[in-house]
Amino acid sequence: MTATLDFDATSRTMGGEYELHYHEAGSGPVLLMLHGSGPGVSGWSNFAGNFPVFAEHFRTIVLDMPGFGRSPAREWNDVYPRVAADAIRYFLDELGIDSVDIVGNSMGGNVGTEFALAHPERVRRMVLMGPGGLAVNSFAPPVSEGSRRLFEFLANPTREGMVAWVDTMVGNPAVVTDELIDQRLANALAPGAIANTFKIFQTFSDPRFADRPQLWARAAQVQQETLLVWGRDDRMLPYEGSLFPFRQMPNAELHVFSRCGHWAQIERKADFERLTVEFLNR
């Protein structure tokens, strides 16, 4: 049976150019895990359940990206994924790590891909679960149900709103517990958290930062072996949007889970872990 890992025992901080919080355990090749966005998110909230399993195979690092978890917000002087990708560059430099494998969920997939494009020699393989920025959806409304519920919560942050948003993240509501809702809500209502989340999302539409093509338009430049993972019932980034990056990325493979929404690492936990370990170790 896989041992559990304690939050405090694995907690680390880094100062300097970027102030970053992370968790680390295990040994071997380095695996960097990047969480998604949304109210109350952190590296731990996304990956606490998977962390011990991956730490049995890799030196596993679960990062709180800038402005999330215990990594403080900053002035956003570029579109968020490029800021976070530069933070990863600094983070790896400070730890003396030359290259990594990346697991990225949603926004974390966006950030991981930006890092891979900026520093291709430092990324070996990637597993991207419903990666933001890469999906191109021609079969659903331009604003997904998950996005709509997310911004409804940010505009009126109530417990009912959190329940409604989290419901769009999963295909099986049974995996959502009161504890999960309460933890996410408490984190989302921390002082300044919602205002900072708005500021992060606003960077995507800020004309000052529109100096290069969007990520999906650069998908063909991603050379790393990449496993795209989607839930067939994803209501945040519908799985039909996976076909574009799968077709464009020259070394991509695609796995779609049935009975699964946006949180494959939670809903199909054991299957996701097995699939990821096999892909990274082959």
Side-chain angles (χ1 to χ4, degrees):
M1 180 179 294
T2 301
T4 59
L5 290 175
D6 180 72
F7 182 99
D8 292 327
T10 59
S11 179
R12 312 280 188 271
T13 57
M14 177 182 293
E17 184 179 352
Y18 291 91
E19 295 182 52
L20 297 167
H21 175 260
Y22 62 103
H23 298 270
E24 181 175 349
S27 61
V30 181
L31 175 61
L32 179 64
M33 306 191 74
L34 303 175
H35 59 79
S37 63
V41 74
S42 67
W44 191 262
S45 71
N46 252 193
F47 296 121
N50 316 114
F51 186 29
V53 174
F54 290 130
E56 292 183 348
H57 301 270
F58 312 102
R59 177 185 174 187
T60 304
I61 299 173
V62 178
L63 180 66
D64 284 345
M65 295 191 296
F68 292 98
R70 293 189 178 181
S71 294
R74 55 191 291 125
E75 290 297 319
W76 308 114
N77 57 1
D78 201 345
V79 66
Y80 180 82
R82 296 204 302 248
V83 175
D86 191 60
I88 292 171
R89 183 269 315 161
Y90 169 76
F91 179 75
L92 297 182
D93 285 349
E94 289 295 295
L95 291 179
I97 297 172
D98 293 328
S99 67
V100 295
D101 290 328
I102 289 176
V103 168
N105 174 219
S106 197
M107 173 89 85
N110 190 327
V111 171
T113 305
E114 286 284 6
F115 180 74
L117 286 168
H119 306 281
E121 74 286 353
R122 304 193 72 169
V123 179
R124 190 181 70 104
R125 288 180 176 159
M126 296 191 291
V127 178
L128 307 179
M129 308 116 72
L134 285 172
V136 177
N137 195 345
S138 302
F139 304 104
V143 179
S144 70
E145 181 186 2
S147 294
R148 180 166 52 83
R149 294 293 188 188
L150 168 61
F151 283 98
E152 286 173 356
F153 172 84
L154 294 175
N156 182 28
T158 64
R159 193 177 196 281
E160 292 75 18
M162 177 63 77
V163 169
W165 174 68
V166 169
D167 180 68
T168 67
M169 295 295 101
V170 299
N172 176 13
V175 303
V176 179
T177 63
D178 287 340
E179 181 184 10
L180 184 153
I181 295 294
D182 292 340
Q183 181 186 56
R184 283 292 182 107
L185 185 62
N187 293 342
L189 296 180
I194 287 179
N196 179 60
T197 301
F198 269 121
K199 288 179 182 178
I200 286 173
F201 287 136
Q202 286 167 354
T203 68
F204 286 89
S205 57
D206 192 320
R208 295 176 298 165
F209 309 144
D211 59 339
R212 73 182 69 178
Q214 294 188 39
L215 185 60
W216 60 264
R218 292 177 279 136
Q221 300 173 28
V222 180
Q223 297 297 312
Q224 287 83 0
E225 290 187 54
T226 302
L227 178 62
L228 300 168
V229 176
W230 242 273
R232 188 180 62 191
D233 305 316
D234 193 330
R235 289 183 279 162
M236 187 71 181
L237 290 169
Y239 96 93
E240 291 88 350
S242 68
L243 300 178
F244 181 87
F246 177 47
R247 185 67 180 89
Q248 291 292 309
M249 295 167 67
N251 295 304
E253 299 178 10
L254 173 63
H255 186 97
V256 180
F257 283 116
S258 62
R259 307 182 309 281
C260 183
H262 196 54
W263 288 345
Q265 78 277 19
I266 294 174
E267 290 192 84
R268 299 296 298 271
K269 178 182 181 300
D271 293 327
F272 168 74
E273 292 162 352
R274 172 187 51 78
L275 187 70
T276 298
V277 170
E278 288 178 358
F279 175 77
L280 295 180
N281 279 337
R282 69 184 188 183

